Amino acid sequence: MERCDTLLTAARLPDGRRDMRIAIRAGRIAAILPPGADAPEATQTYDLQGDLVLPGLTDGHMHLDKTLFGLPWTPHAAEPFRMSRIETDQRLLPSLPLSTVERAGALIRRCVAHGTAHIRSHADITPAFGLSALEGVLSARAAYAHAVTVQIVAFPQAGIMRAPGTAELLDAAMRAGADLVGGIDPCEVDRDPKGQLDTIFALAERHGTGIDIHLHEPGEMGLFSLQEICARTRAHGMQGKVTISHGFCLGGISESKQQAAAALMAECGVALVSHGAGGATLPPLMLLRQAGVQVFCGNDDVRDTWSPYGTGDMLERAAIIGWRVDLRTDPLLGELFDMIGPAGARALGQEPAALLPGAPAHLFTLPAETIPEAIGQHPPRRLIFFAGRLVARDGAFLG
């Protein structure tokens, strides 16, 4: 048998098999071997002592540019409404003693140490910041490319139509290396849904990219915006390339309208990413999945200028979402794991990790027996591999 780079022994798999061995070669799983089978020689071997092995996680919604990780504890400074938070960002972020790349790097290290392999981060593109936030996140992405993928959304946090010059900045951000065009509350923030949506879809079409649009708008207002997003997705032939972040409106309408909206999103190939916000109505995630909508999850704000909460742990985030949605059975918790793992990777255009020969060796280990226990208890991670390389151990990023 051909020599491998890494051999994991005494592994527990999610399907219940124990004392398995996982051979890794050239960044991929080369073989999964049962007890008693011949194993290849390996450059390095790790005895997992019965720990569960799981495929790497996906954080589908994050704001690396806003995080306060790396700094001493910083009290929350904004008032409890969105425009105050935007104004606080403009005042506070430029005065911080650590740069965007330093703070983003501190959070990336934490995410990787929790088993995250893929991140989608928004970077503020506003007249106040120009491209500075994007440049910091781009630098952090380059610095940690060996340990995680980072997909970046050019995010018009302060709006587009109400902030002259933002459309031109978004265009420049796409040329500078952003991966997707962002948007935010076309009715509530810009008060010009046609203007904002025409702008971002034209930009996405020009640059051949997708769209991820924050939609916090409640009830019927949000439903109107969602329907307009779906209509433009279909008209521009962008099925599978558009994501609605949050979609709180879906939790505040009748069940019949939820079902109709879910069918429309599935038909138009519009995905939804949720972080299980505690202060807002939650979209019917399982109804959406059953209708064929691509649903995935993210942490959103992680100890940053918008929220003092969060650790960057997607298993902990899944526990919060599962608790809010009342997912209790093992099969439902298995679906939830898909939303923080393979489904998220697919939504980000990444090849999903899996415990199968030939799959990318983005793996992590932890002391648990099953996926439901891993979510419910989210114990500390022990070994984290990205493309077969050990990148973190016992909560510490290895550099």
Side-chain angles (χ1 to χ4, degrees), residues 230-311:
C230 288
R232 280 168 172 75
T233 301
R234 183 164 45 199
H236 286 261
M238 289 183 62
Q239 293 89 338
K241 298 180 69 175
V242 176
T243 298
I244 289 175
S245 287
H246 308 314
F248 298 141
C249 60
L250 292 168
I253 56 179
S254 67
E255 185 176 352
S256 61
K257 289 185 176 181
Q258 288 177 341
Q259 292 171 341
L264 177 63
M265 291 175 70
E267 175 193 344
C268 296
V270 173
L272 182 128
V273 59
S274 176
H275 74 293
T281 55
L282 196 63
L285 303 183
M286 306 314 288
L287 182 153
L288 291 163
R289 271 179 65 94
Q290 291 161 9
V293 177
Q294 189 172 48
V295 178
F296 58 112
C297 302
N299 270 298
D300 197 1
D301 300 294
V302 180
R303 198 196 142 191
D304 64 9
T305 52
W306 283 53
S307 169
Y309 299 105
T311 64

Side-chain angles (χ1 to χ4, degrees), residues 67-100:
T67 189
L68 299 173
F69 271 118
L71 295 170
W73 181 260
T74 305
H76 185 68
E79 298 296 327
F81 50 89
R82 189 165 300 114
M83 290 313 299
S84 174
R85 292 167 184 159
I86 293 171
E87 292 164 2
T88 301
D89 280 350
Q90 294 176 1
R91 182 183 74 254
L92 180 64
L93 288 175
S95 69
L96 294 175
L98 290 183
S99 66
T100 301

Side-chain angles (χ1 to χ4, degrees), residues 8-14 16-22 32-33 35 46-53 365:
L8 308 181
T9 65
R12 181 193 295 267
L13 301 187
R17 286 179 289 170
R18 302 176 62 178
D19 201 25
M20 303 294 288
R21 284 168 290 180
I22 301 173
I32 298 179
L33 305 166
Y46 296 94
D47 181 358
L48 303 189
Q49 300 181 23
D51 276 1
L52 180 67
V53 181
T365 73

Side-chain angles (χ1 to χ4, degrees), residues 58 117-119 149-151 342 344-353 362 386:
T58 302
H118 306 297
I119 294 171
T149 72
V150 178
Q151 187 182 66
R346 287 190 291 271
L348 271 58
Q350 296 290 337
E351 182 181 1
H362 310 321
F386 182 80

Side-chain angles (χ1 to χ4, degrees), residues 312-385:
D313 183 354
M314 280 306 299
L315 285 181
E316 179 183 69
R317 178 58 50 180
I320 293 169
I321 294 170
W323 180 75
R324 287 212 65 201
V325 182
D326 198 26
L327 303 180
R328 297 173 185 261
T329 67
D330 281 11
L332 288 175
L333 289 168
E335 288 197 57
L336 181 56
F337 185 82
D338 182 57
M339 290 189 274
I340 65 168
R346 287 190 291 271
L348 271 58
Q350 296 290 337
E351 182 181 1
L355 294 174
L356 296 169
H362 310 321
L363 309 170
F364 66 95
T365 73
L366 72 171
E369 296 181 14
T370 65
I371 284 175
E373 182 185 2
I375 292 174
Q377 302 303 309
H378 42 276
R381 307 319 102 89
R382 289 185 167 156
L383 302 177
I384 295 91
F385 297 89

Side-chain angles (χ1 to χ4, degrees), residues 42-273:
T43 302
Q44 52 191 354
T45 299
Y46 296 94
D47 181 358
L48 303 189
Q49 300 181 23
D51 276 1
L52 180 67
V53 181
L54 293 177
L57 305 172
T58 302
D59 192 320
H61 187 108
M62 181 168 279
H63 293 266
L64 289 171
D65 59 325
K66 298 181 190 291
T67 189
L68 299 173
F69 271 118
L71 295 170
W73 181 260
T74 305
H76 185 68
E79 298 296 327
F81 50 89
R82 189 165 300 114
M83 290 313 299
S84 174
R85 292 167 184 159
I86 293 171
E87 292 164 2
T88 301
D89 280 350
Q90 294 176 1
R91 182 183 74 254
L92 180 64
L93 288 175
S95 69
L96 294 175
L98 290 183
S99 66
T100 301
V101 65
E102 290 172 308
R103 292 180 288 104
L107 180 50
I108 287 173
R109 292 193 296 272
R110 283 178 175 257
C111 293
V112 170
H114 288 307
T116 293
H118 306 297
I119 294 171
R120 176 182 286 179
S121 176
H122 300 257
D124 283 8
I125 306 296
T126 69
F129 294 145
L131 302 186
S132 62
L134 172 65
E135 290 163 353
V137 177
L138 284 168
S139 294
R141 173 168 74 179
Y144 294 96
H146 66 286
V148 65
T149 72
V150 178
Q151 187 182 66
I152 305 173
V153 184
F155 178 45
Q157 175 71 85
I160 299 174
M161 313 311 292
R162 65 182 294 274
T166 299
E168 291 77 14
L169 285 170
L170 289 173
D171 188 47
M174 302 312 297
R175 294 196 305 271
D179 301 294
L180 293 95
V181 180
I184 181 170
D185 297 332
C187 295
E188 195 171 55
V189 171
D190 269 342
R191 298 181 179 271
D192 184 356
K194 182 179 187 302
Q196 183 184 131
L197 295 178
D198 283 353
T199 298
I200 64 175
F201 274 87
L203 281 168
E205 193 167 59
R206 183 184 310 157
H207 292 280
T209 63
I211 290 172
D212 189 320
I213 179 168
H214 283 56
L215 190 60
H216 310 96
E217 296 167 353
E220 295 293 335
M221 179 194 295
L223 180 60
F224 168 79
S225 292
L226 183 148
Q227 291 166 340
E228 289 296 302
I229 293 166
C230 288
R232 280 168 172 75
T233 301
R234 183 164 45 199
H236 286 261
M238 289 183 62
Q239 293 89 338
K241 298 180 69 175
V242 176
T243 298
I244 289 175
S245 287
H246 308 314
F248 298 141
C249 60
L250 292 168
I253 56 179
S254 67
E255 185 176 352
S256 61
K257 289 185 176 181
Q258 288 177 341
Q259 292 171 341
L264 177 63
M265 291 175 70
E267 175 193 344
C268 296
V270 173
L272 182 128
V273 59

